[in-house]
Amino acid sequence: MTTYGSFPGTRPRRLRTTPAMRRMVAETRLHPADLILPAFVREGVSEPVPIASMPGVVQHTRDSLKKAAAEAVAAGVSGIMLFGVPEESKKDALGTPGTDPDGILQVALRDVRAEVGDDLLVMSDLCLDETTDHGHCGVLDEQGRVDNDATLERYAEMAQVQADAGAHVVGPSGMMDGQIGVVRDALDQIGREDVAILAYTAKYASAFYGPFREAVASSLRGDRKTYQQDPANVRESLRELALDLEEGADMVMVKPAGPYLDILARVADAVDVPVAAYQISGEYSMIEAAAEKGWIDRDRAILETLTGIKRAGARNVLTYWATEVAQKLGR
């Protein structure tokens, strides 16, 4: 006896039957142009220095940084975000290497622009934490607290020297009140209206920054909870977002990415400017460590996390796997 019709009548699994079918109906796609490579350059080293807590990531020499930038271009990556690591003896309370035209970050910006020109967006971290002897993102007052307005003066000068060194994009990341407006004014005052601002709009006081502290040889004492956001808060991010846009941000960012996908989705739904997310050091290191122990499939986990970040609303993702993933996507 033939029975016509069956339950269930609707079978979504038909759209999952083969790799070709799944590829055709995929709602979210990764592309090399979605990716931005964060990179560290260290002053005074003759060979790249491996970062123990971030397997596969190094503190670059000037030469190896240029090579990494060229590889990123070849892979189709959109940008490179540079972090400078000065010699320890050059750090001071004001973060002088951050405004020295010959500081390591400014030198690296010139190097990379000379290497790749306009084929790669050259971005610069605009913050004092790598250059201060106390490791905070700003100038301290007599009580040891971060002085917001004194820090803004330093950020203005940093923006100008980074623009002069060749940055296409500056990334104010210190979470100081008013930082985007001050940086925009500082750039416009020297005729650099062409330099864009990627605002670290929602930067949370996260436990996942640990490996980054090693990467930049941080001198931090204490924590950054008085200026980075409380992980419990959502509306606060939307308030920060409104302020950054009012002050002139061209792009906005959520950091970290993975633990804050809900924030990312809220931000992406609220704006008509490009939204980025930073898959930070701790997110990277957890996957690498678990994969090294054979607990997860490394390549699948990398692509799954990046797809999730993009699905949540990120136009661009800063990830230490940027070049590797772009190369695989290209193949």
Side-chain angles (χ1 to χ4, degrees):
M1 179 178 176
T2 300
T3 301
Y4 295 97
S6 62
F7 183 84
T10 301
R11 297 184 180 270
R13 285 181 56 191
R14 296 189 189 108
L15 301 183
R16 306 172 196 152
T17 52
T18 68
M21 176 67 81
R22 293 191 293 274
R23 186 171 62 247
M24 185 183 76
V25 301
E27 299 173 32
T28 304
R29 300 182 192 277
L30 283 174
H31 187 278
D34 299 332
L35 305 175
I36 297 167
L37 176 68
F40 309 100
V41 57
R42 179 171 170 179
E43 188 173 23
V45 295
S46 57
E47 297 290 338
V49 178
I51 300 168
S53 57
M54 299 179 69
V57 180
V58 301
Q59 294 171 328
H60 283 286
T61 67
R62 290 173 61 186
D63 285 340
S64 69
L65 178 65
K66 290 188 289 185
K67 181 179 178 182
E71 289 174 348
V73 171
V77 170
S78 281
I80 186 168
M81 175 66 79
L82 300 184
F83 298 85
V85 183
E87 293 179 353
E88 193 68 26
S89 62
K90 294 184 179 179
K91 295 182 181 180
D92 60 22
L94 296 177
T96 299
T99 50
D100 180 354
D102 294 320
I104 183 59
L105 179 55
Q106 286 70 252
V107 170
L109 286 167
R110 291 194 291 270
D111 285 344
V112 174
R113 277 301 300 271
E115 182 73 22
V116 301
D118 293 332
D119 293 337
L120 185 70
L121 279 175
V122 180
M123 306 177 171
S124 55
D125 179 59
L126 201 164
C127 195
L128 289 170
D129 59 322
E130 298 101 282
T131 60
T132 52
D133 56 11
H134 48 72
H136 278 286
C137 298
V139 178
L140 303 185
D141 64 18
E142 293 178 355
Q143 285 74 45
R145 302 168 301 187
V146 175
D147 185 325
N148 192 95
D149 295 1
T151 299
L152 294 181
E153 294 181 16
R154 301 289 292 131
Y155 285 4
E157 189 176 352
M158 290 181 75
Q160 293 175 341
V161 297
Q162 289 178 2
D164 286 343
H168 294 104
V169 180
V170 295
S173 61
M175 290 301 290
M176 296 297 119
D177 295 339
Q179 63 184 14
I180 302 304
V182 165
V183 167
R184 183 72 270 158
D185 286 346
L187 291 169
D188 292 352
Q189 285 174 16
I190 61 168
R192 297 309 307 269
E193 295 88 354
D194 58 317
V195 175
I197 298 176
L198 170 58
Y200 284 60
T201 290
K203 184 178 181 181
Y204 283 87
S206 172
F208 293 95
Y209 295 131
F212 181 88
R213 306 272 164 81
E214 179 190 353
V216 298
S218 174
S219 304
L220 180 65
R221 297 188 293 271
D223 59 49
R224 298 182 173 126
K225 293 180 180 179
T226 63
Y227 45 102
Q228 293 178 354
Q229 286 184 240
D230 186 333
N233 293 349
V234 177
R235 287 192 295 269
E236 185 179 26
S237 287
L238 300 179
R239 185 183 185 196
E240 292 278 7
L241 175 65
L243 291 167
D244 282 355
L245 293 175
E246 182 181 346
E247 292 173 25
D250 300 289
M251 300 171 278
V252 297
M253 187 197 296
V254 174
K255 181 181 181 180
Y260 296 91
L261 294 180
D262 60 323
I263 307 299
L264 176 59
R266 293 282 294 272
V267 168
D269 286 345
V271 302
D272 57 4
V273 300
V275 177
Y278 197 144
Q279 185 180 51
I280 67 170
S281 59
E283 299 175 75
Y284 173 94
S285 296
M286 286 193 301
I287 290 176
E288 291 288 351
E292 189 274 331
K293 289 184 175 292
W295 293 343
I296 61 173
D297 182 317
R298 176 183 180 274
D299 290 354
R300 285 185 61 195
I302 292 169
L303 289 176
E304 185 174 337
T305 56
L306 290 172
T307 300
I309 294 165
K310 189 172 182 190
R311 187 185 64 243
R315 176 84 59 85
N316 299 104
V317 184
L318 286 82
T319 175
Y320 299 98
W321 291 300
T323 300
E324 175 188 342
V325 169
Q327 290 169 340
K328 291 176 179 176
L329 293 173
R331 289 196 295 267

